[in-house]
Amino acid sequence: MRLKGEIHNPCYDEEEEKVAEENGRELNSIVGVGISPPPKLVVGYALTSKKKKSFLQPKLLGLARNMGIFFISIDLNRPLSDQGPFDVVLHKLAGKEWSEIIEDYRQKHPEVTVLDPPNAVQHLHNRQSMLQGVADLNLSDCHGRVGVPKQLIVTKDPLSIPNEVDKAGLKLPLVAKPLLVDGSAKSHELFLAYDQCSLSELEPPLVLQEFVNHGGVLFKVYIVGEAIKVVRRFSLPNISKRELEKLAGVFRFPRVSCAAASADDADLDPSIAELPERPLLENLARQLRQRLGLRLFNVDMIREHGTKDVFYVIDINYFPGYGKMPDYEHIFTDFLLSLVQSKHKKRPAT
Ligand SMILES: Nc1ncnc2c1ncn2[C@@H]1O[C@H](COP(=O)(O)OP(=O)(O)OP(=O)(O)O)[C@@H](O)[C@H]1O
Ligand SMILES: O=P(O)(O)O[C@H]1[C@H](OP(=O)(O)O)[C@@H](OP(=O)(O)O)[C@@H](O)[C@@H](O)[C@@H]1OP(=O)(O)O
Ligand SMILES: [Mg+2]
Ligand SMILES: [Mg+2]
């Protein structure tokens, strides 16, 4: 017998199919034979193949299985309500159609924890709404200040950009980022602009953000429910005044901070590498969690070079590359189990 939600999905590669089948087979035998206790938690997932590979690693699946957590692939060709039953649905897929499906499912199945609500995820698909409100967070008394670099949104007419930048008082160099983040490679194509005239070469819609010197180190703050994990990553080096005077043009740069190579073990200047203080991160994460209505995201933070505690949030990502987060399998399984526990707590005693 096959479990509901396990019918062949053409998006699968063979390895993924095997993982899901193994999970399902085991779940069946546990439920059917009745030797082991029933699974505590069934997690349905709808993820891209890239995400399945990086997230559903054997170390996560193995630990989860031992804890009674089973991951089942959602079949995108069948109605979601016919699959499961799930306790949790994990999802990251692009497109309006999927958002509507998952929102409809959420409304009809309030007993299922959908991670995360599509309208909240949507908020991060636009680099303007993504950072809205970060500067207003109340982080006083909290071991540092957190802001957003000065930025300008350009939606049309590239020829007007130099003038708009001038009017807005934005200082060069600028980082140009596509306004919309839709999971495509194009939405991660970023440029550094060294002079005002060349800005008209850029393709709106985009965000122009002041480049903040930060010593070439970035802090990735991963959030999984209540848990926070921060890692250092390599980033763009400082740009000196001299360099700025010498250079003109817009230059595309690669995805520097996405590389799995962490800067955690590098021999770095301590004033640059020192992690933001824990109370600051806890406060930031708590407020962002509330404000965004999300439980799975990460925040890219930089420290203004030459300061001890002036930070900027430059990017927030939904369901980021947790596979690269140290200890992610324990953090994730603990989080999933905490969802069942909080559900039980909410249930009225009979
Ligand atoms: N305002 C800024 N000042 C200095 N460096 C910046 C700034 N904005 C971006 N960067 C650098 O460019 C990189 C990419 O920027 P950003 O994180 O906004 O793009 P992204 O495509 O959303 O990245 P991700 O892969 O994390 O989703 C950052 O990791 C950082 O190294
Ligand atoms: O590529 P990875 O798996 O590492 O994860 C990256 C993730 O890609 P994926 O969701 O397709 O996996 C990106 O998502 P989209 O914006 O493109 O939707 C974004 O969240 C990055 O910030 C993540 O890198 P990290 O911030 O964790 O270093
Ligand atoms: Mg980023
Ligand atoms: Mg991003």
Side-chain angles (χ1 to χ4, degrees):
M1 186 186 94
R2 256 176 186 266
L3 209 95
K4 273 188 180 178
E6 265 219 287
I7 284 174
H8 179 75
N9 180 342
C11 306
Y12 263 8
D13 64 23
E14 258 172 43
E15 202 180 316
E16 287 155 4
E17 178 90 14
K18 221 169 67 198
V19 166
E21 271 206 20
E22 258 170 33
N23 259 339
R25 209 177 300 125
E26 225 169 295
L27 181 53
N28 279 342
S29 68
I30 286 171
V31 176
V33 179
I35 299 168
S36 320
K40 283 195 194 133
L41 199 70
V42 180
V43 181
Y45 62 86
L47 302 170
T48 58
S49 328
K50 175 177 172 250
K51 200 59 152 189
K52 284 184 219 165
K53 264 207 176 91
S54 68
F55 178 70
L56 295 173
Q57 292 178 32
K59 61 180 175 187
L60 172 71
L61 296 175
L63 181 69
R65 202 182 297 136
N66 289 340
M67 293 171 121
I69 304 168
F70 288 82
F71 287 92
I72 306 287
S73 169
I74 288 171
D75 182 349
L76 301 178
N77 299 315
R78 292 175 53 224
L80 200 43
S81 291
D82 291 355
Q83 303 179 51
F86 302 123
D87 299 294
V88 175
V89 167
L90 273 180
H91 70 103
K92 185 172 178 182
L93 290 176
K96 199 162 169 270
E97 201 189 333
W98 171 253
S99 287
E100 284 168 5
I101 293 173
I102 196 78
E103 180 55 30
D104 179 59
Y105 178 79
R106 214 171 71 87
Q107 305 274 337
K108 290 187 181 139
H109 295 271
E111 76 286 3
V112 180
T113 306
V114 173
L115 297 169
D116 275 310
N119 59 340
V121 174
Q122 195 65 35
H123 207 71
L124 299 188
H125 287 164
N126 176 308
R127 293 189 194 266
Q128 183 179 28
S129 54
M130 170 199 286
L131 298 184
Q132 246 160 17
V134 172
D136 309 331
L137 297 178
N138 178 15
L139 299 163
S140 53
D141 245 16
C142 228
H143 306 84
R145 281 186 283 148
V146 182
V148 172
K150 206 165 168 184
Q151 63 180 34
L152 173 72
I153 313 302
V154 184
T155 52
K156 44 183 191 280
D157 189 13
L159 294 178
S160 71
I161 303 178
N163 195 24
E164 293 292 314
V165 163
D166 206 31
K167 267 201 310 202
L170 248 61
K171 284 200 219 78
L172 293 158
L174 298 176
V175 188
K177 313 183 184 187
L179 180 60
L180 303 179
V181 185
D182 57 7
S184 65
K186 184 112 183 115
S187 66
H188 294 289
E189 252 180 33
L190 271 58
F191 295 84
L192 263 176
Y194 290 90
D195 74 299
Q196 218 153 302
C197 280
S198 308
L199 288 167
S200 47
E201 290 170 28
L202 294 165
E203 251 181 73
L206 43 87
V207 174
L208 295 172
Q209 203 173 73
E210 283 190 347
F211 180 88
V212 178
N213 277 341
H214 54 282
V217 173
L218 170 137
F219 306 106
K220 281 235 173 230
V221 187
Y222 286 93
I223 288 141
V224 180
E226 305 283 307
I228 306 168
K229 192 102 184 174
V230 57
V231 298
R232 295 180 194 89
R233 291 272 178 83
F234 291 113
S235 180
L236 295 174
N238 289 350
I239 301 173
S240 68
K241 281 210 177 97
R242 264 192 67 202
E243 214 175 325
L244 186 60
E245 279 160 11
K246 274 197 307 200
L247 282 164
V250 290
F251 302 95
R252 199 172 137 194
F253 64 93
R255 290 185 77 175
V256 265
S257 317
C258 205
S262 120
D264 275 330
D265 304 322
D267 188 15
L268 299 163
D269 174 347
S271 69
I272 289 171
E274 193 189 341
L275 297 176
E277 298 228 20
R278 199 71 201 172
L280 178 70
L281 294 181
E282 271 161 18
N283 207 346
L284 176 71
R286 186 169 39 79
Q287 291 190 41
L288 280 180
R289 225 182 273 124
Q290 261 169 17
R291 201 174 263 252
L292 299 170
L294 294 171
R295 277 171 281 193
L296 301 177
F297 59 101
N298 75 1
V299 180
D300 290 352
M301 257 173 102
I302 53 178
R303 174 191 282 115
E304 184 164 15
H305 189 66
T307 76
K308 188 176 154 31
D309 58 5
V310 178
F311 296 97
Y312 290 90
V313 170
I314 53 169
D315 185 26
I316 307 179
N317 303 292
Y318 175 61
F319 203 147
Y322 286 118
K324 287 180 285 183
M325 177 176 99
D327 217 20
Y328 91 102
E329 66 277 25
H330 289 105
I331 293 178
F332 229 91
T333 45
D334 286 351
F335 165 64
L336 290 170
L337 288 180
S338 76
L339 296 175
V340 210
Q341 276 148 15
S342 62
K343 221 181 241 173
H344 284 316
K345 262 193 225 150
K346 275 191 212 145
R347 225 174 259 165
T350 46

